[in-house]
Amino acid sequence: MDKRLSWDEYFMAQSHLLSLRSTCNRLSVGATIVRDKRIISGGYNGSIKGDEHCIDSECKVIDGHCIRTIHAEINAILQCSKFGVSTEGATIYVTHFPCLNCTKSIIQSGIKEICYANDYRNNEYAEELLKKSGVKVRKIDYNNDLIIARMLKQ
Ligand SMILES: [Zn+2]
Ligand SMILES: [Zn+2]
């Protein structure tokens, strides 16, 4: 029998699952916020309530970025604020390295650790802010194919 999934694999798999709900054509991102090994929130990059989805019309691209969507990390943090759940001391698992704006919000929300699977346009200033703030950053060695293969075996 295969070994149990590690916590890192489990939470990262959850973020990858969430990314499949993304409504943007450019990149599918998922984020899971975890406290004391419990999932407290999740998000993916998608449109504001009431706006069209990129996948139904097209992306709104300005300066090389789609500006239509709220990013996965922010959606996950907003879910916490909507339901009154503290993010202090939490860990966030994201499929891709967060952009500068998400990094700033993550730091300010009291999240203490970022685990990510893929490098993506890693912003130098974001990395500097993370260092200054003391937020831990870990790149997780994550293989979606291995997880899926294990699911199919059951
Ligand atoms: Zn888009
Ligand atoms: Zn972002």
Side-chain angles (χ1 to χ4, degrees):
M1 203 182 99
D2 288 323
K3 215 162 89 272
R4 285 172 87 192
L5 281 190
S6 70
W7 288 113
D8 282 346
E9 285 170 324
Y10 169 64
F11 296 130
M12 199 50 99
Q14 174 65 24
S15 294
H16 280 76
L17 191 61
L18 278 161
S19 75
L20 300 180
R21 290 280 307 156
S22 165
T23 63
C24 184
N25 296 315
R26 292 164 69 84
L27 186 70
S28 297
V29 181
T32 306
I33 301 180
V34 174
R35 260 186 99 171
D36 299 330
K37 299 204 168 26
R38 301 289 189 281
I39 294 173
I40 59 168
S41 174
Y44 54 85
N45 55 327
S47 302
I48 305 289
K49 213 181 276 179
D51 192 17
E52 302 143 74
H53 296 324
C54 299
I55 47 171
D56 293 334
S57 50
E58 56 184 9
C59 282
K60 261 192 186 311
V61 180
I62 291 181
D63 295 334
H65 296 278
C66 176
I67 57 151
R68 190 192 297 281
T69 58
I70 302 200
H71 288 183
E73 303 91 315
I74 305 291
N75 268 328
I77 291 169
L78 287 175
Q79 188 187 317
C80 289
S81 78
K82 191 171 179 179
F83 295 119
V85 178
S86 173
T87 45
E88 180 69 38
T91 297
I92 190 164
Y93 284 79
V94 234
T95 53
H96 298 77
F97 191 88
C99 72
L100 176 58
N101 272 322
C102 287
T103 299
K104 291 197 279 193
S105 297
I106 288 169
I107 294 170
Q108 204 72 350
S109 74
I111 289 173
K112 287 288 175 285
E113 187 180 24
I114 299 173
C115 299
Y116 73 101
N118 305 288
D119 288 293
Y120 181 73
R121 299 182 179 183
N122 300 21
N123 183 285
E124 229 171 80
Y125 182 45
E127 286 176 334
E128 182 190 323
L129 289 176
L130 288 166
K131 253 187 219 127
K132 280 185 187 158
S133 66
V135 170
K136 230 173 100 186
V137 181
R138 281 196 297 134
K139 186 173 182 178
I140 304 290
D141 185 22
Y142 176 81
N143 186 333
N144 234 350
D145 293 339
L146 283 181
I147 305 281
I148 293 163
R150 287 180 61 175
M151 282 182 174
L152 291 175
K153 254 171 64 183
Q154 294 195 327

